[in-house]
Amino acid sequence: MKRVLILALAAAVLLSLMGVSMVGAQASGCPEGLFSMMSAELESACSGELAGTVVTMFGPFTDEDEVKFNTSVAEFEGWTGIDIQYTGTKEFEAVVRPTVESGAAPDIIDFPQPGLLKGLVDGGYVIDTDTFLNAEWMQQNYLQSWLDMARIGDISAGIWARFNAKSLVWYPKAAFEAAGYAVPTTWEELIALSDQIVADGGAPWCVGIESGAATGWPATDWMEEFMLRTTSLENYDNWSFPADAASRLPFTSPEVKAAAEQLGALWFAENYVMGGRQAIAGTFFGDAPRPMFDNPPGCYMHKQGNFITSFFPEGAVAGEDYSVFYLPGIDPAYGSPFLVAGDIYAMFNDRPEVRAVMDFFTRGESLKAWLATGGALSPHNDTPLEWYGSELEREIASLVAGATSVRFDGSDLQPGAVGAGSFWKGMTDWISGTVDLDTALAEIDAAWPTE
Amino acid sequence: MENIKTRSDDQFSIVELGLAALAVLATFAFLYGGFVFLRDSGISQILTALLAVVWGVGGVAALYYVGNLFIEKLPHNWTVRLQPFLFVGPAVALLAWYLAVPTVRTFALSLYNANSTEFIGLKNYQAVFTERIMLEALSNNLLWMIVGTTLTVGFGLLIAILADRSGFEKTAKSLIFLPMAISMVGAGVIWKFIFDFNPNIGLVNAAVVGLGGEQQAWLSLVQPWNNLFLIIVMVWLQTGYAMVLISAAIKGIPDELLEAARVDGAGEVLIFLRIIVPNIAGTLLTVITTVVIFTLKIFDVVMVMTGGQFGTEVIGVRFYREMWTNGNAGYGSAIAIVLLIAVVPVMIYNLREFSKRRAF
Amino acid sequence: MHVMKRRALWMVNGALFIIVLLWTIPTIGLLVSSIRPRDDIQSSGWWTVVPHLGWVSTGEQRPLPEGQTRDQPITIDGVTATYDEWREGVDLGNGTRLVWVGTLRLGQLEVYRQEWTASTRFTLDNYGQVLAGREYEIRNTDGTTTMVQGDNLMGAFLNSLTVTIPATIIPILIAAFAAYGFSWMRFPGRRLLFIMVVALLVVPLQIALKPILTDYVSLKLNGTYLGIWLAHTGFGLPLATYLLYNYISGLPRELLESAFIDGASHFTVFVRLILPLSVPALASFAIFQFLWVWNDYLVSLIFLSLGNQDAQVLTMRIAALVGQRGQDWYLLTAAAFVSMVVPIVVFFALQRYFVRGLMAGSVKG
């Protein structure tokens, strides 16, 4: 008994005394003249003063995107000696709130949905980036609409790091051209083409909105495209991101209903969508474009963001097997708007190294490697088109640049209860015929939180 | 171990008590040291893993051992008084921390508004019982509870009994159990290959089309049957649970009892009703209770397969969405409390059964 | 042992066989899919690997009759059908079928013949990517490319074991003590405490995540193995206590009485008598708890991985494999099997404890 006791005590002491020694990190310094108008913290990071510090990040991208992210910050880590540690999870939406509210927030969080960020800004957890970033630099490197979208409540809640383009229609180029079809540049041409395809015995469109726990989101994208094309930008903004309760355009308004009716006219038109309503509701969004690659194609057009290429069959070559065009505007009065989505980085702990890393992310340089590999678009003005590694993404970037206006995915901007909840549900209920359009829109609207 | 083999009734010794108390403290110190070491050390992962397992499991066992050592060194009447708390104390304490206190807190939150700033009484509960989507969830849960429990327990019982008499018991039980080992993401893919709309992916639609029928979006547009298809997924996953427990209970029935009945010429049906069922009644109640609770809490099957869309909403998914995605603490909490209240009758029945049993 | 009538045995075996077959078909589908290449998984059913009579294109084309317009029903070899019907394919008898390939304007009829076919492209590539980590082609800014190997499963596998083994044994131990205490000891508050334990069965663990994480942050427990073990213990305890109470309270009291008469203490009785006797119940619960913890995602993510980036469990690695948008979901086929190996081994290891007559010797009457 006593012997056991002594051994135990000795071991306890030994164990408590053991520690680890940190190895100091090396910093080589940033290349001369690479960054201009730096914040004080980025400057000291570049001179190696912050070497050995760690910045933790948390976000929704995993695996391949995680590798791309790590590659794109690797050089910066070498220059400054700051270690950027990223954790990704597929359950991002579920865990981000409890993590932050319980005090376990990492330094920087990547939000693919600014709507989620809003709740945390209201809780006072988010640090205002205006407090340390050079305002002149931000004006110079971002379009005003990006800066506006980052303003949540009274603060600048984060910085836009990446975006992807949504208003894109993919088509099987070889079969499309063999059938004698031409890329439409106006809405009338698009409808004429659809009718032509139907007359030829084919289906013009492929649509699928199934997405497991997030079922319904592709339908919300379609709604946003129609909102942008059938009503004013002001209405779109008041619908997706109202400044206050008084200016909010509710889902029950005639404008929103008109957009939904136009969408219904396209989706539910005889033979317009391969497989009809059933296919729309039952097809996984990632499987939806595959019939385009059948011989003969099951459909000729598929509207989806630029990420969809990763679902295309192995060996399908951009520019040969498939290509992309811009979903044309409907009413010339509203021009040719472009729908985008993207990632905003918000900051939760205020330390010099975190500030330095945030400043780094305001620069195209932070995306350079990612752009070369593909899969992201840069919102930074200092990113030249040559950085894009693929012809296709360069083309998409120029399509976005050619738009008369750029607007963010409305469902991502709306509060989570709507944008990641009732909006999905209302659309699926409407599509499956569970409720009529008016009820669906009323139920979507009822979930909007009252302040 | 020798010194605890017999009860040291009145041989109270202050020295031994002191030593035992020291042992308790030393164990705590040792465990804390181990914790700090494991948390901060930079040793290899395999070594950490191995040490952690030994430390964790051994630590808990050691705490019980030294705790008991100390209590048994106390004067006898104190031993009698305190020993029960050594046995149930750790469980009760952990439960209080992890579940009971959060439940009370949830109840309090359910009386407040979305961001817990304003007391609104029972308004959230009123919403729970009037909103169309919540009503849909409640009625779906009822379906889950009745159909899901019946099928899971029924199949579990049937398979356990058949397997007991068959020539390939182990193989059969292992194959029925197999789905339990599959993670939910894996199960989602498995059932995609069954229910997918595309007849080149989904088996059911391939069969339907092959027989000249029209392909269907089984999980979305075939309402309200899609709920049943989701229940089938749950039954497929969980029958192994019912089977293992029921099978263990059946094996506990003494052979002599069955033999005697057979000698008396009783048929298999009679044996099942008169001997097997009464003998495993306790286990059946346990299994039914846990499966009922499981179906009421059902979450992941629905979340992964349909996200609660297309009329498949259930309480678990609603709660999760209100609480986490929507940040509506008040409403989400009210849903959780309703769930809790729904199970009260089952619990009361269980407790009644328990009190019928005689304990010391 | 009673000898069953042969006919009855046949019926039992037959019925069981059918049930087991139905139960296994979905898993077979997954197994077959896991060794097929990505494009095959997404374009043809897994059941096509079984040789079957199918229509195969001969590559021949069948010209339309002279003067036939395309929007009218077409008659060939005496068979008349509309465009939509030709698109589906029309049998001409004699084992050939004509199918319209392409659009109404530009397509043509192709000749198909019925043949035995099977989709036989198999690969272990899915398993390779899951086990060894995927390879990504990263294009550098200077135009060159490098291959980057993603994480392999080894680290996650070890983490999962480190989490799961104690998170299985600890709650069983604590619950067994509690179940014994509730069944065979008298103390004030026994009934109330027991009701609390059982009532907590129904509490969804999601309500506890935030308050517990807050506690963990202040106790510095987040991101530690101890934290995750305790969490799994707390969440698993109601069921463990309930199941074990049911079993332990049902043990014959004569057994314990004779032990106490021999002068044994509660602790001795528990360790020497009750634990060995409860092996079937302990083993059953061990299997379930092991499975739940092994397949858990949310609890590990919140209490372990968020505070310790390196400590990712298997389910997290596997979920991450499919990519942010789920584009690589086909990898889940192989991943599901990889993650199943350990639970199945545990099941086989513990199955032998569910043996008949374990109680028979001790129960008198």
Side-chain angles (χ1 to χ4, degrees):
Chain A
M1 182 66 224
K2 264 183 198 156
R3 218 174 46 203
V4 175
L5 212 78
I6 291 164
L7 270 175
L9 280 172
V13 171
L14 197 69
L15 285 176
S16 346
L17 285 177
M18 287 174 97
V20 269
S21 55
M22 287 287 291
V23 187
Q26 297 292 313
S28 62
C30 304
E32 199 65 36
L34 181 66
F35 299 133
S36 53
M37 295 189 253
M38 288 188 270
S39 61
E41 290 80 10
L42 184 56
E43 230 162 299
S44 62
C46 273
S47 58
E49 285 165 28
L50 299 173
T53 54
V54 173
V55 172
T56 56
M57 280 189 70
F58 176 53
F61 49 93
T62 57
D63 221 53
E64 183 168 8
D65 286 340
E66 196 172 338
V67 170
K68 288 178 188 170
F69 173 81
N70 286 332
T71 325
S72 60
V73 298
E75 264 188 327
F76 180 74
E77 290 180 312
W79 295 335
T80 60
I82 298 175
D83 183 10
I84 302 175
Q85 291 184 354
Y86 174 81
T87 311
T89 171
K90 301 274 292 171
E91 301 272 335
F92 176 80
E93 289 139 44
V95 298
V96 64
R97 193 186 280 271
T99 308
V100 172
E101 289 180 353
S102 59
D107 299 326
I108 300 171
I109 299 183
D110 171 337
F111 287 85
Q113 290 154 337
L116 276 174
L117 178 56
K118 184 170 187 317
L120 297 171
V121 172
D122 293 344
Y125 299 104
V126 180
I127 288 155
D128 187 351
T129 55
D130 280 351
T131 53
F132 63 93
L133 290 177
N134 183 331
E136 202 184 326
W137 164 250
M138 294 300 282
Q139 291 286 348
Q140 179 187 323
N141 208 32
Y142 282 96
L143 289 176
Q144 187 58 38
S145 58
W146 287 115
L147 298 179
D148 291 346
M149 284 188 291
R151 286 209 78 81
I152 300 177
D154 295 329
I155 66 166
S156 179
I159 48 161
W160 290 97
R162 289 187 311 286
F163 79 99
N164 51 70
K166 298 231 171 194
S167 304
L168 300 171
V169 179
W170 303 87
Y171 64 98
K173 193 161 190 266
F176 193 86
E177 284 168 358
Y181 302 143
V183 168
T185 52
T186 65
W187 190 258
E188 289 72 30
E189 284 177 25
L190 183 76
I191 296 302
L193 172 62
S194 300
D195 289 336
Q196 173 71 51
I197 295 172
V198 173
D200 289 349
W205 296 94
C206 269
V207 182
I209 62 161
E210 195 266 318
S211 179
T215 296
W217 70 260
T220 66
D221 280 9
W222 274 94
M223 261 303 285
E224 290 147 12
E225 302 281 9
F226 276 86
M227 277 298 288
L228 280 174
R229 284 165 178 73
T230 59
T231 187
S232 67
L233 289 176
E234 194 190 349
N235 276 338
Y236 182 86
D237 292 340
N238 286 334
W239 170 68
S240 58
F241 199 57
D244 51 61
S247 60
R248 185 167 83 84
L249 183 77
F251 277 80
T252 46
S253 65
E255 288 85 356
V256 180
K257 193 181 175 190
E261 279 168 343
Q262 290 247 30
L263 169 62
L266 185 79
W267 275 12
F268 306 142
E270 190 85 26
N271 297 327
Y272 257 40
V273 176
M274 183 192 173
R277 243 175 228 255
Q278 294 255 2
I280 296 175
T283 307
F284 174 56
F285 74 90
D287 293 342
R290 283 194 81 88
M292 289 201 303
F293 298 94
D294 289 347
N295 182 30
C299 59
Y300 288 86
M301 291 182 277
H302 179 71
K303 190 204 87 68
Q304 190 54 281
N306 50 314
F307 70 85
I308 196 68
T309 52
S310 56
F311 287 92
F312 287 174
E314 261 168 14
V317 180
E320 290 174 27
D321 299 306
Y322 65 88
S323 190
V324 67
F325 63 82
Y326 165 70
L327 180 73
I330 295 176
D331 187 336
Y334 306 123
S336 42
F338 212 105
L339 188 69
V340 300
D343 291 57
I344 184 168
Y345 288 171
M347 179 174 163
F348 289 82
N349 297 313
D350 201 356
R351 296 196 310 276
E353 60 270 25
V354 186
R355 289 182 169 201
V357 170
M358 285 292 278
D359 194 354
F360 171 62
F361 286 133
T362 67
R363 292 151 202 277
E365 185 69 33
S366 66
L367 267 185
K368 200 173 176 186
W370 202 326
L371 298 180
T373 309
L377 301 173
S378 161
H380 313 100
N381 291 340
D382 66 345
T383 300
L385 277 181
E386 303 90 76
W387 282 6
Y388 288 100
S390 76
E391 190 56 48
L392 184 74
E393 279 177 348
R394 215 166 300 147
E395 197 181 320
I396 293 171
S398 59
L399 280 180
V400 180
T404 56
S405 58
V406 173
R407 276 301 178 272
F408 201 83
D409 185 323
S411 64
D412 287 348
L413 292 171
Q414 287 157 351
V418 176
S422 67
F423 197 178
W424 295 347
K425 196 171 182 65
M427 293 304 282
T428 59
D429 282 349
W430 173 52
I431 291 160
S432 60
T434 313
V435 296
D436 60 23
L437 181 56
D438 286 319
T439 316
L441 293 174
E443 282 184 358
I444 298 173
D445 206 65
W448 198 288
T450 45
E451 304 281 341
Chain B
M1 282 297 256
E2 292 79 36
N3 49 352
I4 58 156
K5 211 168 194 175
T6 54
R7 274 197 292 192
S8 46
D9 276 30
D10 295 308
Q11 301 151 4
F12 172 63
S13 144
I14 192 79
V15 179
E16 281 183 21
L17 181 69
L19 267 176
L22 212 59
V24 174
L25 290 176
T27 312
F28 269 112
F30 180 72
L31 289 177
Y32 182 73
F35 170 69
V36 171
F37 172 72
L38 284 169
R39 191 183 56 191
D40 301 335
S41 83
I43 54 174
S44 82
Q45 201 194 354
I46 296 186
L47 207 60
T48 313
L50 214 66
L51 277 177
V53 169
V54 173
W55 172 80
V57 175
V60 173
L63 281 179
Y64 274 108
Y65 179 76
V66 296
N68 184 68
L69 199 66
F70 175 72
I71 284 176
E72 289 193 350
K73 296 291 175 209
L74 288 169
H76 179 58
N77 57 342
W78 279 99
T79 306
V80 171
R81 212 172 293 166
L82 287 182
Q83 206 168 27
F85 294 101
L86 175 78
F87 276 66
V88 302
V92 169
L94 279 172
L95 280 170
W97 181 19
Y98 282 91
L99 291 170
V101 173
T103 305
V104 173
R105 185 176 164 277
T106 303
F107 177 70
L109 285 179
S110 76
L111 303 173
Y112 284 81
N113 65 351
N115 50 10
S116 315
T117 48
E118 189 190 330
F119 184 83
I120 57 167
L122 294 175
K123 272 213 184 109
N124 286 322
Y125 291 91
Q126 196 187 340
V128 168
F129 290 107
T130 49
E131 256 190 12
R132 181 186 72 88
I133 293 164
M134 260 322 285
L135 292 178
E136 176 189 305
L138 290 170
S139 71
N140 282 342
N141 262 100
L142 196 66
L143 189 76
W144 274 88
M145 190 180 85
I146 296 168
V147 180
T149 309
T150 312
L151 290 180
T152 306
V153 180
F155 271 115
L157 182 62
L158 180 68
I159 293 162
I161 288 185
L162 289 178
D164 194 40
R165 285 131 208 265
S166 77
F168 51 104
E169 178 176 1
K170 280 209 166 156
T171 319
K173 278 165 71 176
S174 308
L175 286 172
I176 300 291
F177 181 81
L178 200 67
M180 284 212 74
I182 296 173
S183 59
M184 199 50 227
V185 269
V189 177
I190 289 189
W191 288 89
K192 179 185 170 73
F193 287 123
I194 304 289
F195 287 132
D196 200 90
F197 179 69
N198 183 347
N200 287 324
I201 298 179
L203 180 62
V204 176
N205 272 328
V208 168
V209 169
L211 295 170
E214 181 106 355
Q215 73 201 81
Q216 300 285 333
W218 298 105
L219 293 178
S220 36
L221 291 193
V222 190
Q223 296 177 13
W225 299 102
N226 52 352
N227 279 299
L228 201 66
F229 303 137
L230 292 179
I231 292 176
I232 289 174
V233 176
M234 188 279 288
V235 171
W236 180 76
L237 284 166
Q238 294 298 325
T239 293
Y241 167 81
M243 179 201 69
V244 165
L245 288 185
I246 294 174
S247 181
I250 289 178
K251 300 214 172 295
I253 302 173
D255 268 343
E256 305 90 78
L257 230 58
L258 298 171
E259 288 305 313
R262 290 197 176 106
V263 169
D264 292 346
E268 289 298 319
V269 176
L270 207 64
I271 290 181
F272 172 72
L273 290 176
R274 292 280 167 77
I275 296 177
I276 296 183
V277 170
N279 267 285
I280 61 169
T283 303
L284 276 182
L285 177 68
T286 316
V287 173
I288 292 171
T289 305
T290 44
V291 176
V292 163
I293 291 171
F294 186 83
T295 54
L296 284 174
K297 284 205 286 190
I298 191 73
F299 166 72
D300 45 7
V301 172
V302 180
M303 195 69 182
V304 168
M305 310 280 296
T306 66
Q309 313 274 23
F310 306 111
T312 61
E313 199 65 82
V314 289
I315 302 176
V317 172
R318 273 280 19 102
F319 159 71
Y320 185 85
R321 288 214 194 275
E322 290 295 343
M323 200 80 171
W324 299 125
T325 355
N326 304 357
N328 192 342
Y331 193 43
S333 301
I335 295 173
I337 297 297
V338 167
L339 193 66
L340 210 84
I341 293 167
V343 198
V344 166
V346 188
M347 286 300 134
I348 291 176
Y349 183 76
N350 263 279
L351 290 169
R352 252 202 233 139
E353 286 300 303
F354 282 144
S355 51
K356 279 186 197 156
R357 286 191 203 157
R358 290 271 66 88
F360 263 51
Chain C
M1 182 72 202
H2 171 71
V3 182
M4 238 190 286
K5 292 192 199 79
R6 185 168 271 176
R7 201 167 55 99
L9 184 67
W10 265 102
M11 276 171 58
V12 165
N13 279 342
L16 187 64
F17 181 77
I18 290 169
I19 295 176
V20 170
L21 188 70
L22 279 176
W23 231 262
T24 318
I25 283 175
T27 317
I28 293 173
L30 188 73
L31 182 64
V32 171
S33 301
S34 73
I35 52 172
R36 301 181 76 206
R38 173 189 154 172
D39 276 345
D40 282 9
I41 294 179
Q42 294 174 351
S43 59
S44 67
W46 58 267
W47 51 90
T48 55
V49 302
V50 181
H52 57 282
L53 266 180
W55 295 99
V56 180
S57 171
T58 58
E60 287 170 50
Q61 280 148 15
R62 184 73 182 256
L64 297 183
E66 283 295 316
Q68 171 78 51
T69 53
R70 285 166 175 252
D71 43 3
Q72 296 298 313
I74 302 165
T75 307
I76 285 174
D77 292 357
V79 182
T80 307
T82 62
Y83 165 71
D84 283 337
E85 287 163 342
W86 286 114
R87 239 172 94 103
E88 295 285 308
V90 176
D91 290 357
L92 296 179
N94 65 41
T96 57
R97 167 184 269 193
L98 293 184
V99 181
W100 190 283
V101 177
T103 64
L104 184 62
R105 262 184 318 121
L106 302 167
Q108 50 213 342
L109 287 167
E110 277 187 12
V111 183
Y112 279 64
R113 220 170 281 284
Q114 200 165 32
E115 273 173 26
W116 281 96
T117 61
S119 165
T120 52
R121 290 206 299 159
F122 294 117
T123 172
L124 288 176
D125 197 41
N126 297 337
Y127 285 94
Q129 292 191 40
V130 168
L131 289 172
R134 308 188 57 197
E135 277 203 333
Y136 300 113
E137 193 181 288
I138 297 293
R139 220 168 307 157
N140 298 324
T141 39
D142 58 7
T144 59
T145 57
T146 27
M147 296 306 281
V148 176
Q149 184 89 12
D151 289 343
N152 64 26
L153 275 190
M154 198 55 207
F157 199 81
L158 270 177
N159 283 330
S160 267
L161 279 176
T162 315
V163 168
T164 311
I165 294 173
T168 305
I169 301 175
I170 294 172
I172 291 184
L173 197 63
I174 294 178
F177 270 103
Y180 177 88
F182 283 124
S183 324
W184 303 106
M185 288 166 135
R186 281 251 172 259
F187 57 94
R190 185 179 73 118
R191 209 179 143 76
L192 197 72
L193 286 177
F194 186 69
I195 290 175
M196 179 190 103
V197 172
V198 178
L200 289 177
L201 263 176
V202 71
V203 175
L205 65 89
Q206 286 97 336
I207 68 163
L209 297 181
K210 200 153 75 185
I212 299 298
L213 186 58
T214 314
D215 293 346
Y216 273 21
V217 170
S218 44
L219 291 172
K220 289 197 165 60
L221 267 177
N222 61 325
T224 66
Y225 286 116
L226 179 64
I228 183 83
W229 297 335
L230 287 177
H232 277 303
T233 303
F235 300 140
L237 262 180
L239 187 66
T241 314
Y242 175 73
L243 286 182
L244 294 180
Y245 173 85
N246 241 304
Y247 190 90
I248 290 175
S249 69
L251 291 173
R253 65 185 295 171
E254 299 83 0
L255 213 71
L256 283 90
E257 272 168 354
S258 56
F260 288 128
I261 289 164
D262 294 345
S265 73
H266 274 300
F267 198 82
T268 319
V269 167
F270 176 75
V271 172
R272 294 276 164 86
L273 198 62
I274 301 296
L275 280 187
L277 274 178
S278 307
V279 164
L282 297 177
S284 325
F285 182 75
I287 287 179
F288 301 134
Q289 177 75 4
F290 190 94
L291 287 175
W292 287 320
V293 176
W294 185 263
N295 287 330
D296 157 77
Y297 182 101
L298 201 60
V299 178
S300 303
L301 173 66
I302 290 194
F303 295 130
L304 188 63
S305 306
L306 284 183
N308 183 355
Q309 192 210 13
D310 300 326
Q312 295 219 338
V313 292
L314 206 56
T315 44
M316 292 190 62
R317 276 300 318 147
I318 286 174
L321 272 179
V322 305
Q324 192 183 348
R325 311 264 180 178
Q327 61 268 37
D328 299 317
W329 63 266
Y330 65 95
L331 284 180
L332 287 177
T333 54
F337 278 98
V338 170
S339 78
M340 251 162 72
V341 171
V342 173
I344 292 298
V345 169
V346 172
F347 178 73
F348 279 117
L350 293 181
Q351 199 187 22
R352 66 197 178 90
Y353 290 109
F354 312 141
V355 282
R356 184 190 296 280
L358 192 94
M359 296 285 302
S362 52
V363 179
K364 292 171 186 88

